Amino acid sequence: MFAAYAARLDAEDPLSALELGERPEPEVPPGWTVVRLRAAALNHHDLWSLRGVGLDAGSLPMILGCDGAGVDEDGNEVVVYPVIGGARRTLLSEKYQGTLAERVAVPAGNVLPKPPALSFEEAAALPTAWLTAYRMLFTKAGVRPGDSVLVQGAGGGVATAAIVLGAAAGLRMFVTGREEHKRRRALELGAEAVFEPGVRLPHRMDAVLETVGAATWSHSLKSLRPGGTVVISGTTSGPNPPAAELQRIFFLELTVAGSTMGTREELAGLLGFCAAKGVRPVIDTVLPLDRAREGFARMAAGDLYGKIVFTV
């Protein structure tokens, strides 16, 4: 079957480690099932895999991709939940072959019905970045309609998802971003107001969603009302801020909540929410899988707003 896979690892030039071509049919252990993919989405995780982060040479060659939607063995339209295992979780394309292929094998419990209202491309865009944002907002942040939420870093996949989901749920979404065109796009997606990084906001926030890390950490804490919550799911600018500001955290009784991906039940909730509210993931580019190299290059250059999706 045709697939996009990591043939080797290269920390300096990850695209050179990407290969497109034939791979063996998926192995199907007892209790697993095969999904014939119709669409699969690209994540930064795939670029990091090519660099050797979370993927070792002994696992190669490895088909990349965490997210996908397709048809199961009974002809049902389904979405793949990409987290495998319980206490020692792993994502597809780390230990098990991924979704950038014609077919993928997953545990039977890792397939969910695709809402008819969502296309295969839309459904494939949801399980990683959009699920992460859904969990951050609705499970970890503890916000309610009318609350104010700051999203750091306009343009990122999780940030974009959070803006759309939060606005649809009746939250007041505020966004920071370095680039003017990305701030403008955030307004179009439902943000109430946008700002350059680090500026003083018009009022304190009930919650801050943090994926940037060191560069925005101090601003995130200073932007919270007493008793507010910062939810962190990534550190694209580095994991170690110059100061933890522990005094601010305990004196203002702030909550710092970590969040990673989401549960199968949360993915079901996300799919239902999108179908019921007319919410659709923001898709930057759709390409056939045999042009996957173009999609990887576009992501590596950072020249995108929304998901890159491959059709199979």
Side-chain angles (χ1 to χ4, degrees):
M1 65 176 183
F2 187 80
Y5 60 97
R8 55 194 169 276
L9 306 175
D10 192 320
E12 301 302 321
D13 184 13
L15 294 184
S16 71
L18 175 67
E19 295 287 347
L20 306 180
E22 293 296 314
R23 296 297 306 144
E25 291 288 335
E27 297 180 5
V28 189
W32 287 47
T33 188
V34 172
V35 175
R36 289 185 291 115
L37 292 154
R38 297 287 184 82
L42 187 61
N43 291 286
H44 281 284
H45 179 273
D46 300 306
L47 275 177
W48 285 109
S49 295
L50 291 169
R51 291 187 173 102
V53 178
L55 184 64
D56 58 67
S59 300
L60 300 178
M62 175 62 72
I63 298 173
L64 300 169
C66 306
D67 297 343
V71 178
D72 69 11
E73 293 172 325
D74 297 320
N76 302 303
E77 296 183 351
V78 297
V79 181
V80 175
Y81 175 59
V83 181
I84 310 295
R88 301 193 64 168
R89 299 173 298 174
T90 184
L91 286 176
L92 287 173
S93 77
E94 293 178 344
K95 184 178 178 182
Y96 303 101
Q97 302 292 324
T99 58
L100 298 188
E102 293 180 274
R103 286 169 289 281
V104 66
V106 294
N110 281 58
V111 295
L112 292 86
K114 181 184 77 67
L118 297 177
S119 69
F120 284 108
E121 292 83 0
E122 291 165 342
L126 293 174
T128 295
W130 282 69
L131 178 58
T132 298
Y134 184 90
R135 179 175 177 83
M136 292 175 78
L137 271 174
F138 303 127
T139 302
K140 293 289 188 172
V143 288
R144 299 174 295 182
D147 284 352
S148 297
V149 179
L150 173 65
V151 178
Q152 298 277 26
V158 174
T160 299
I163 296 165
V164 176
L165 292 171
L171 298 167
R172 301 177 63 193
M173 304 303 294
F174 299 83
V175 183
T176 67
R178 290 179 298 175
E179 300 173 67
E180 194 276 333
H181 74 279
K182 292 185 177 180
R183 295 195 298 270
R184 185 172 62 251
R185 180 68 172 133
L187 288 172
E188 295 169 356
L189 293 174
E192 181 171 322
V194 296
F195 308 91
E196 293 184 3
V199 305
R200 186 181 182 89
L201 303 180
H203 63 270
R204 298 289 179 91
M205 300 286 117
D206 297 291
V208 178
L209 304 190
E210 176 65 83
T211 61
V212 179
T216 54
W217 182 249
S218 180
H219 183 251
S220 292
L221 295 181
K222 291 173 182 175
S223 299
L224 282 171
R225 63 163 174 80
T229 299
V230 56
V231 184
I232 181 166
S233 70
T235 56
T236 56
S237 68
N240 299 308
E245 303 197 40
L246 299 180
Q247 284 184 310
R248 180 180 296 276
I249 291 172
F250 74 71
F251 188 73
L252 295 179
E253 298 189 274
L254 305 179
T255 296
V256 177
S259 188
T260 299
M261 284 290 290
T263 66
R264 183 187 186 279
E265 292 70 28
E266 286 165 335
L267 178 56
L270 169 62
L271 292 167
F273 181 78
C274 288
K277 301 297 291 183
V279 172
R280 297 295 180 268
V282 180
I283 295 177
D284 178 271
T285 306
V286 177
L287 294 168
L289 184 59
D290 60 9
R291 292 172 58 189
R293 192 172 298 278
E294 295 175 42
F296 274 81
R298 186 169 175 82
M299 174 168 279
D303 182 27
L304 73 165
Y305 203 115
K307 300 294 291 183
I308 294 173
V309 179
F310 301 121
T311 54
V312 184

